[in-house]
Amino acid sequence: MKNPPLILIADDDADFLEILSAKLLASGYQIAEAKDGVEAIQKTKSLIPDLVIMDIQMPNVNGTEAVLEIKGAPETKDIKIVFFSNLIYPWPGVKK
């Protein structure tokens, strides 16, 4: 674990990113941000954060698909990921 821990926030809502980033920075965490699923995958693989907070509905690659790719890669499979969304049914767009 990094000191302080690094949290990647993946969300396409700029206001949410700003608010959550400010709160976590004030609590002593390092923060990285991603604005869509593609960027979330790239930053997760390059930064190896301690935690990813992932929205589900995002452009390009949705959060569910991004998590499946992150968890499918040996170097990122053990990273903790929390879905943070306002969806009633959290699994839209999963392609198998």
Side-chain angles (χ1 to χ4, degrees):
M1 183 175 288
K2 295 169 183 55
N3 189 15
L6 173 61
I7 300 175
L8 173 64
I9 306 167
D11 199 304
D12 60 328
D13 183 328
D15 292 333
F16 177 78
L17 279 174
E18 182 180 347
I19 292 166
L20 187 56
S21 292
K23 292 284 188 184
L24 292 171
L25 282 168
S27 296
Y29 295 97
Q30 295 180 74
I31 300 300
E33 297 177 350
K35 293 173 180 55
D36 63 33
V38 172
E39 189 176 6
I41 293 165
Q42 292 168 344
K43 287 191 173 183
T44 300
K45 289 181 178 181
S46 66
L47 299 174
I48 311 294
D50 298 296
L51 175 69
V52 176
I53 298 174
M54 182 78 70
D55 185 22
I56 294 174
Q57 289 187 313
M58 292 187 291
N60 301 320
V61 172
N62 69 41
T64 305
E65 292 170 335
V67 167
L68 290 172
E69 185 165 336
I70 290 165
K71 290 296 189 176
E75 67 275 13
T76 55
K77 68 179 178 60
D78 294 325
I79 293 174
K80 305 295 184 220
I81 301 174
V82 174
F83 279 123
F84 197 90
S85 188
N86 65 355
L87 294 175
I88 294 169
Y89 183 69
W91 307 114
V94 174
K95 299 173 188 167
K96 293 186 180 188

